[in-house]
Amino acid sequence: MKIAFDARLFGIRHRGIGMYTENLLITLKEKDQTNNYYILGGENANYLASANWQLIKADCRVYSCREQILIPKLINKLKPDLVHYPHFNVPLCSQRPFIVTVHDLILHQFPNERASTLPKWLYCFKLAIYHLVVKRALTKALAIITVSQSVKEDIIKYYPQVASKIKVIYEAPALLPKDIPKDRKERLIKEDYWLYVGAAYPHKNLSLLLRAFTKAKKGNRQLVLVGRQDYFYQQLKLLAKKEKLTKGVIFWGEVSQVSLANLYANAAGYLSPSLAEGFDLSALQAAFFHKPILASNIKVHQEILKEAAIFFEPQNLEDLTCKLEQFYQSPPKFNYQKLEQDLAASFNWQKTAQETLCLYQNLKLL
């Protein structure tokens, strides 16, 4: 069987989708030396190349007009039996049989949140194209992988006609405590701190977190926000400065994998105030680092974290402030050994890759 995989979003620089793509491909290669793979793009994935794993140059940006022409052209030339797109951006004229992984439908739920500096007319045009591409991808796909039951329910809400094609295959942590070299375990931050890792899009609800953190009685504890300092983080910084919410807040920016593991390992706890998520890999990683987690009570957090977190109402400043104070004064005690066993049974890349490979093989029989 010949399988093409669009790996242009490969690695940590592409956030959650990049980590999904990298870890899935690494584990698939460990498991499958029978099928032939064509890895499109993924310039950082040279170590995957082997006799039956061929890297194909795909010199076009994701979401560009160029990808609409070049990617189908490349795929038609390769003539794979199946194409796996790990994101919704399936070219509109893609003709080969394909499956698609959908990580979330955040832009369906919060359609105006990523307008950034674009003129309104241009953002509305791009949003219309987004809906067209997603609908076409879901309609034409042989199968749809979602990373949580929550995302599956969201897809069915907007596209009930594709319900029978959806399969939930959980992803897994990209970082574990073993990822910290023994000579790099010293603390990067001397003071006690709570940690958040991720983007600063409006639905991440970081403005409420800053207000609650400033208001709460939390001793000398700090709040460390890790994430690419893009337009949205700059807007958050301006808000923090304007409302005097900067005391004790560290905007850390991007970090290496080793430094990120160090920040997880030494944090007093993890905070996830999001209004919506497709999975929340960062919070799950905190659980594997045996960190107490304070998370919004959205459905995907309850699905993924279960007993590993304390939940709060994400639009209630008083509730979050109160829970932060409780978090500081009396940190929750979890049975981390049992939690890690339970989480590892559901969320591990061996399981993810095996279920994905089984889906490939089952589609071959159709």
Side-chain angles (χ1 to χ4, degrees):
M1 186 179 185
K2 296 190 293 184
I3 301 165
F5 196 108
D6 184 0
R8 288 174 296 148
L9 294 172
F10 183 95
I12 191 173
R13 64 183 294 264
H14 296 291
R15 295 174 172 160
I17 296 171
M19 289 190 286
Y20 169 85
T21 299
E22 181 175 8
N23 285 279
L24 176 58
L25 287 176
I26 288 172
T27 318
L28 276 174
K29 184 173 182 181
E30 293 174 359
K31 287 186 169 294
D32 187 8
Q33 292 296 322
T34 302
N35 294 308
N36 292 307
Y37 287 82
Y38 301 115
I39 309 303
L40 277 62
E43 287 75 13
N44 298 323
N46 292 332
Y47 57 87
L48 291 176
S50 64
N52 63 327
W53 282 65
Q54 184 178 351
L55 299 184
I56 307 295
K57 186 176 181 180
D59 188 19
C60 56
R61 290 185 298 107
V62 177
Y63 312 130
S64 67
C65 294
R66 183 175 169 80
E67 78 172 350
Q68 296 292 329
I69 300 171
L70 181 60
I71 296 301
K73 184 177 179 180
L74 279 174
I75 289 173
N76 287 338
K77 183 178 179 180
L78 296 169
K79 293 182 170 55
D81 301 300
L82 183 68
V83 185
H84 187 169
Y85 294 98
H87 192 32
F88 67 76
N89 61 314
V90 179
L92 293 170
C93 55
S94 180
Q95 298 299 316
R96 303 298 298 184
F98 69 87
I99 67 173
V100 61
T101 299
V102 178
H103 297 264
D104 63 63
L105 289 182
I106 299 294
L107 282 178
H108 282 64
Q109 300 164 291
F110 300 90
N112 297 317
E113 74 154 20
R114 297 187 193 177
S116 64
T117 58
L118 293 177
K120 184 176 180 180
W121 69 268
L122 179 56
Y123 181 73
C124 290
F125 174 74
K126 292 184 71 173
L127 190 62
I129 296 298
Y130 157 79
H131 282 285
L132 175 65
V133 170
V134 170
K135 183 176 181 179
R136 197 267 179 187
L138 296 178
T139 302
K140 298 295 184 180
L142 292 181
I144 302 162
I145 296 174
T146 66
V147 295
S148 67
Q149 184 67 31
S150 177
V151 177
K152 177 179 178 179
E153 292 171 4
D154 289 339
I155 292 175
I156 293 172
K157 174 183 175 181
Y158 293 102
Y159 307 98
Q161 69 275 20
V162 305
S164 63
K165 298 194 290 186
I166 302 173
K167 179 174 179 56
V168 177
I169 301 179
Y170 288 128
E171 54 185 323
L175 286 170
L176 293 171
K178 65 178 177 58
D179 296 313
I180 312 177
K182 291 182 179 180
D183 61 345
R184 288 294 306 276
K185 288 187 178 181
E186 69 277 6
R187 294 176 65 96
L188 298 178
I189 300 173
K190 293 182 179 180
E191 299 81 4
D192 285 343
Y193 61 91
W194 287 317
L195 181 66
Y196 166 82
V197 178
Y201 298 131
H203 77 268
K204 297 292 187 177
N205 207 22
L206 297 184
S207 59
L208 185 85
L209 177 58
L210 291 183
R211 294 185 181 104
F213 175 78
T214 300
K215 189 176 181 180
K217 297 175 183 177
K218 70 284 184 182
N220 294 322
R221 186 154 295 169
Q222 296 183 308
L223 172 61
V224 177
L225 305 176
V226 176
R228 186 182 308 153
Q229 300 297 291
D230 57 11
Y231 168 84
F232 298 99
Y233 259 112
Q234 296 305 323
Q235 291 299 107
L236 185 66
K237 287 182 179 179
L238 290 175
L239 173 71
K241 184 176 181 180
K242 179 181 178 182
E243 297 190 15
K244 298 181 179 179
L245 306 173
T246 57
K247 186 177 180 181
V249 178
I250 300 175
F251 292 91
W252 192 272
E254 290 186 277
V255 296
S256 67
Q257 292 281 68
V258 171
S259 294
L260 183 56
N262 188 300
L263 288 171
Y264 271 113
N266 293 298
Y270 188 87
L271 308 177
S272 185
S274 187
L275 298 172
E277 291 288 345
F279 188 81
D280 203 341
L281 185 58
S282 298
L284 181 65
Q285 288 183 159
F288 275 85
F289 274 87
H290 294 183
K291 298 301 165 182
I293 300 168
L294 183 58
S296 55
N297 63 357
I298 57 176
K299 58 185 179 181
V300 72
H301 280 162
Q302 295 177 343
E303 174 187 352
I304 302 300
L305 300 174
K306 297 179 180 176
E307 294 86 5
I310 302 297
F311 298 105
F312 68 91
E313 170 53 51
Q315 294 179 316
N316 188 323
L317 176 61
E318 295 301 323
D319 188 32
L320 177 51
T321 303
C322 181
K323 294 286 175 58
L324 279 173
E325 291 178 347
Q326 293 174 7
F327 223 50
Y328 171 69
Q329 295 167 2
S330 181
K333 306 289 185 182
F334 297 112
N335 183 343
Y336 285 111
Q337 184 174 4
K338 181 179 184 303
L339 273 177
E340 184 173 351
Q341 291 174 349
D342 293 344
L343 291 172
S346 298
F347 309 111
N348 68 82
W349 284 109
Q350 294 294 323
K351 184 172 185 289
T352 302
Q354 185 59 51
E355 292 181 4
T356 303
L357 183 57
C358 286
L359 181 62
Y360 293 166
Q361 301 288 15
N362 290 339
L363 291 174
K364 180 183 178 181
L365 302 176
L366 294 179

